[in-house]
Amino acid sequence: MAELYGTAACLRIFGDDLDPDEITSILGAKPTRGERKGGIWLTPRGDQMIARTGRWSIDVARREPGDLDGQIAEILAPLNQDLLAWQDLTTRFRADFFCGLFMEEGNEGLELSPKTMLDMGARGIKFGLDIYAPKRRTK
């Protein structure tokens, strides 16, 4: 299996009753993006959108070559390590790691370390992947 070309990672917490300031207080870090349900947020293109639910999220820079273990560790490191606080959050809200896998060739892949899987599981964080196939080259 060839090394994965690139990865992106974002921790997201969602809920209709979510207050981004509360999540920031509990986790001890400011989000990359946070809004209450009904609040206004800007898309990457600058369009204004109304939040359908509350959101608190934090992401890190995309990595080439891919390093999902490193990105997840970078996101979790500055956050509260108290698993009871995480259990409270993940019972009240939906939490996930939303990750992108970017391939340059076919048959690229990656492995997650047992520590990364344990860190996510102990906090009740789901793990999701969007996989982007290599672009077809035209002759």
Side-chain angles (χ1 to χ4, degrees):
M1 167 172 62
E3 181 177 48
L4 192 66
Y5 177 74
T7 53
C10 178
L11 170 64
R12 309 180 307 177
I13 302 173
F14 295 105
D16 286 348
D17 299 327
L18 186 142
D19 174 0
D21 294 333
E22 176 194 10
I23 307 301
T24 296
S25 176
I26 292 169
L27 294 182
K30 291 189 178 201
T32 306
R33 178 177 155 197
E35 64 269 346
R36 290 177 181 261
K37 181 177 181 175
I40 303 294
W41 62 279
L42 295 176
T43 68
R45 293 185 307 184
D47 298 326
Q48 287 190 354
M49 303 292 288
I50 297 174
R52 288 186 249 156
T53 191
R55 175 181 176 141
W56 186 97
S57 63
I58 189 167
D59 57 39
V60 292
R62 185 171 158 174
R63 297 220 179 132
E64 294 174 3
D67 180 18
L68 213 43
D69 274 324
Q71 289 167 298
I72 291 170
E74 183 180 339
I75 289 170
L76 291 178
L79 302 181
N80 186 343
Q81 301 299 307
D82 178 359
L83 297 181
L84 291 176
W86 278 98
Q87 183 180 15
D88 175 59
L89 285 177
T90 56
T91 6
R92 293 190 295 139
F93 307 112
R94 183 172 55 96
D96 68 13
F97 266 102
F98 182 72
C99 302
L101 307 181
F102 301 91
M103 297 170 49
E104 187 174 53
E105 304 287 331
N107 198 33
E108 294 179 2
L110 64 80
E111 294 178 339
L112 289 179
S113 72
K115 181 182 181 334
T116 298
M117 293 188 294
L118 182 62
D119 287 347
M120 290 187 297
R123 288 164 176 79
I125 302 171
K126 293 181 180 182
F127 182 65
L129 297 170
D130 265 12
I131 302 169
Y132 300 90
K135 294 182 180 176
R136 295 181 189 238
R137 295 189 175 106
T138 57
K139 293 183 180 187

